[in-house]
Amino acid sequence: MQTIPITQARQPKPQQQTAEDPVIRKPRLLEIVPLSYATIQRKINNEEFPKPIRLEVNSVGWKLSEVQAWLDSLERAEGVA
């Protein structure tokens, strides 16, 4: 079995951030979402929360527009209930 050097390994391409749709990191996410990170992770796994996007090899972020849409959907659901 041939090993591939890390420099040749396929790395995920970082997502480009635009002014119209900024990407937020975990600290900012926890400031605006009224849930613990463990609960957010559980909701991501259950497809109940927007999935993070890969920014670099060891970092992820969330599109602010997707998080805001999720928060808006909670407010609409509470208004209906």
Side-chain angles (χ1 to χ4, degrees):
M1 176 189 252
Q2 182 183 9
T3 59
I4 299 173
I6 292 176
T7 56
Q8 293 179 358
R10 195 167 166 183
Q11 298 291 329
K13 292 184 179 179
Q15 296 287 328
Q16 294 297 320
Q17 180 174 336
T18 63
E20 297 85 33
D21 195 7
V23 175
I24 59 172
R25 303 282 296 269
K26 180 180 171 183
R28 179 71 178 126
L29 179 72
L30 294 175
E31 288 176 5
I32 62 176
V33 175
L35 301 172
S36 69
Y37 190 64
T39 300
I40 292 171
Q41 283 295 104
R42 193 168 32 256
K43 288 187 174 293
I44 291 169
N45 292 338
N46 292 333
E47 298 181 4
E48 298 171 357
F49 191 84
K51 290 187 177 187
I53 56 173
R54 175 77 46 207
L55 300 174
E56 295 177 7
V57 176
N58 292 320
S59 65
V60 296
W62 288 261
K63 289 185 178 182
L64 181 58
S65 63
E66 292 179 3
V67 173
Q68 191 60 52
W70 181 83
L71 289 169
D72 291 346
S73 72
L74 286 183
E75 290 175 6
R76 283 192 303 274
E78 288 178 2
V80 173

